[in-house]
């Protein structure tokens, strides 16, 4: 089956076509500036990237252009839309409604829409993208894969906040967590690499990128994660503050004569390592600045690594021990210095860091010594493949049920 994987933003649309049998990416690309002027990027496997401007007044036109490019006589990878067996959509927030991926019926879409206030920047454009695909491919099954689903196994003591319980009952205020598709993929891949069952492992997954989160995966199920009601909680990130005393928001608002919305913009988009360093949210820029003696850039790097180590320690405690610590995503997979700053200071867990083995980027590797009590690993994530796998499973089950009836 060929699966089209879609990830919609308010003015963008990322896509891949994956052959589910071989798990090979046949083509991938990006639509940008939807609703403005429109730019399409397309790259078929083994061929040069194509990029051109095209009118995209809405997501429907973007999806239409993607399908047209996929069927192009010279560079296309399908002969007709009928070759696409299913479409897998990345869905950011499913609230407490969805603990797994699901077929996107109208009833499901209405339920997702009811969660829009939990993810006002992400859910609405995703639903627009689904609607566009449904209109252009009315007979093709659509599947939603939720960022929050993997974390729905957290026990109540992990997800509940110390607020009046009525806010949970009335507004579903609780920890949800994000990057769930990545955490699920990496934790399962760790078990595969080690030749063990997920049920037999306690794994801490460190998804470190511009947006970062850590999860505790016990026996194949998430029992805690660092992001909360929104992606703002947890680690210091590229531009997000991560954990802070909530009173800071009121304090800054009074001191700077700012509105609540203005302060929220600061802690979401002007904080993190960018705000600390005054240099950049890109860790490569921070490393270069720190090497030149920039003390604030070094402070930002140190604070980031410290928070990661702190969460690792708390999750080892939450699971009563840890067998594997896996680093993934842009920083986790490629920044050897950040990994070293974290992994070299986990000796209290019995982890022995191998500095030479750590000299890898973007590939699977074990970066602990053979006698380490905790296995330290680098495991590249692949959220698109994870979405493809879930989509195929849902559609296969749907077909089997229909045949059974």
């Amino acid at each position: 089956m060929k699966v089209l994987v879609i990830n919609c933003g308010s003015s963008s649309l990322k896509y891949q076509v994956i052959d589910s049998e071989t798990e090979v990416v046949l083509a991938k690309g990006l639509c940008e500036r939807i609703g403005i002027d429109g730019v399409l990027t397309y790259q078929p496997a083994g061929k040069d990237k194509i990029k051109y401007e095209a009118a995209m007044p809405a997501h429907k036109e973007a999806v239409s252009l993607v399908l047209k490019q996929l069927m192009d006589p010279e560079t296309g990878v399908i002969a007709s839309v009928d070759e696409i067996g299913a479409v897998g959509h990345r869905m950011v927030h499913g609230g407490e409604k969805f603990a797994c991926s699901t077929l996107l019926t109208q009833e499901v879409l209405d339920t997702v829409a009811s969660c829009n206030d939990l993810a006002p920047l992400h859910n609405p454009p995703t639903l627009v993208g689904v609607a566009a695909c449904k209109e252009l491919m009315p007979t093709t099954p659509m599947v939603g894969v939720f960022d929050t689903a993997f974390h729905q196994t957290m026990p109540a003591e992990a997800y509940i906040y110390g607020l009046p319980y009525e806010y949970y009952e009335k507004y579903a205020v609780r920890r949800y967590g994000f990057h769930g598709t990545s955490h699920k993929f990496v934790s399962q891949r760790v078990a595969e690499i080690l030749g063990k069952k997920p049920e037999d492992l306690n794994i801490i997954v460190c998804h470190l990128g511009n947006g970062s989160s850590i999860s505790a995966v016990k026996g194949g199920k998430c029992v805690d994660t660092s992001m909360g009601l929104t992606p703002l909680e947890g680690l210091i990130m590229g531009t997000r503050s991560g954990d802070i005393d909530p009173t800071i928001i009121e304090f800054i608002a009074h001191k700077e004569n700012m509105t609540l919305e203005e302060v929220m913009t600061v802690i979401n988009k002007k904080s993190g390592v960018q705000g600390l360093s005054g240099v950049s949210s890109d860790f490569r820029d921070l490393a270069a600045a720190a090497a030149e003696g920039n003390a604030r850039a070094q402070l930002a790097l140190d604070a980031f690594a410290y928070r990661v180590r702190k969460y690792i320690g708390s999750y080892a405690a939450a699971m009563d021990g840890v067998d594997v610590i896996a680093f993934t995503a842009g920083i986790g997979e490629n920044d050897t210095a950040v990994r070293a700053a974290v992994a070299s200071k986990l000796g209290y867990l019995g982890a022995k860091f191998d500095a030479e083995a750590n000299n890898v980027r973007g590939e699977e590797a074990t970066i602990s010594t053979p006698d380490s009590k905790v296995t330290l690993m680098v495991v590249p994530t692949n959220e698109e493949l994870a979405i493809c796998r879930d989509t195929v499973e849902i559609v296969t089950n749907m077909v089997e049920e229909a045949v059974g009836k």
Side-chain angles (χ1 to χ4, degrees):
M1 181 190 297
K2 291 174 183 174
V3 177
L4 174 60
V5 176
I6 297 283
N7 182 352
C8 271
S10 58
S11 62
S12 66
L13 185 153
K14 295 180 183 178
Y15 64 93
Q16 285 192 9
V17 176
I18 301 174
D19 184 327
S20 65
E21 293 183 9
T22 62
E23 298 193 336
V24 169
V25 177
L26 303 177
K28 62 182 179 180
L30 170 68
C31 294
E32 299 173 276
R33 298 178 64 81
I34 298 172
I36 306 172
D37 44 23
V39 178
L40 186 143
T41 303
Y42 171 75
Q43 185 168 23
K47 296 182 180 180
D48 292 336
K49 184 183 293 184
I50 299 168
K51 188 171 184 177
Y52 57 89
E53 294 182 1
M56 299 180 201
H59 285 74
K60 179 184 175 182
E61 287 77 13
V63 175
S64 181
L65 282 168
V66 169
L67 294 175
K68 182 180 178 181
Q69 190 65 61
L70 291 172
M71 293 185 291
D72 184 87
E74 294 184 6
T75 60
V77 295
I78 56 174
S80 73
V81 176
D82 294 337
E83 287 188 36
I84 296 175
V87 181
H89 293 268
R90 180 207 176 201
M91 315 290 282
V92 170
H93 215 307
E96 292 186 310
K97 311 292 185 182
F98 302 101
C100 59
S101 302
T102 187
L103 192 69
L104 292 175
T105 63
Q106 189 56 52
E107 181 181 0
V108 168
L109 291 171
D110 290 343
T111 304
V112 173
S114 72
C115 300
N116 281 359
D117 58 342
L118 294 172
L121 298 179
H122 297 91
N123 272 20
T126 298
L127 291 171
V128 169
V130 173
C133 289
K134 278 182 169 287
E135 187 173 346
L136 294 166
M137 296 177 278
T139 61
T140 305
M142 305 277 159
V143 173
V145 181
F146 297 87
D147 276 8
T148 51
F150 183 61
H151 304 305
Q152 281 297 301
T153 52
M154 284 189 290
E157 63 265 27
Y159 70 68
I160 202 70
Y161 287 118
L163 297 169
Y165 194 72
E166 64 185 274
Y167 297 141
Y168 170 64
E169 294 179 305
K170 291 164 64 175
Y171 311 118
V173 174
R174 53 158 285 180
R175 179 184 308 283
Y176 288 100
F178 298 87
H179 299 139
T181 306
S182 176
H183 287 288
K184 178 182 178 181
F185 178 88
V186 171
S187 57
Q188 290 179 342
R189 182 58 187 149
V190 163
E192 290 175 5
I193 294 170
L194 297 179
K196 296 184 178 181
K197 296 179 180 179
E199 306 85 69
D200 297 331
L201 292 171
N202 286 356
I203 304 170
I204 295 175
V205 179
C206 302
H207 179 108
L208 308 180
N210 191 55
S212 296
S213 64
I214 297 181
S215 66
V217 184
K218 186 177 182 68
K221 296 181 178 181
C222 178
V223 296
D224 207 347
T225 192
S226 58
M227 285 181 168
L229 176 72
T230 74
L232 179 60
E233 188 180 359
L235 299 171
I236 292 172
M237 305 178 218
T239 63
R240 299 180 189 135
S241 67
D243 297 334
I244 60 171
D245 179 342
T247 310
I248 291 172
I249 296 172
E250 179 187 32
F251 184 85
I252 292 175
H254 289 162
K255 291 292 185 181
E256 296 287 327
N257 194 28
M258 298 169 72
T259 65
L260 173 62
E261 290 72 20
E262 288 171 335
V263 180
M264 292 306 296
T265 296
V266 169
I267 62 177
N268 267 295
K269 298 181 178 181
K270 300 179 181 180
S271 298
V273 295
Q274 176 178 294
L276 281 173
S277 68
V279 174
S280 173
S281 62
D282 191 310
F283 278 64
R284 291 166 294 190
D285 296 337
L286 296 180
E292 294 176 357
N294 187 311
R296 281 176 54 188
Q298 187 61 57
L299 173 62
L301 292 169
D302 291 343
F304 177 81
Y306 174 77
R307 289 290 184 91
V308 175
R309 296 196 304 268
K310 192 173 174 182
Y311 264 99
I312 287 172
S314 66
Y315 286 170
M319 294 190 293
D320 192 21
V322 58
D323 301 304
V324 184
I325 299 170
F327 297 89
T328 193
I331 296 167
E333 294 169 25
N334 299 291
D335 197 318
T336 59
V338 168
R339 285 201 307 260
V342 174
S344 64
K345 296 185 178 181
L346 302 176
Y348 69 97
L349 292 173
K352 295 184 179 180
F353 173 64
D354 187 330
E356 185 175 346
N358 185 50
N359 192 29
V360 294
R361 291 178 174 82
E363 61 184 78
E364 293 179 349
T366 297
I367 58 172
S368 53
T369 62
D371 60 337
S372 179
K373 292 182 179 179
V374 177
T375 303
L376 306 174
M377 302 178 72
V378 179
V379 180
T381 191
N382 193 332
E383 293 174 270
E384 289 79 14
L385 179 56
I387 292 172
C388 174
R389 287 174 176 174
D390 275 19
T391 299
V392 171
E393 182 180 358
I394 296 293
V395 172
T396 301
N397 290 341
M398 178 186 73
V399 172
E400 290 176 351
E401 289 176 7
V403 171
K405 293 179 180 178

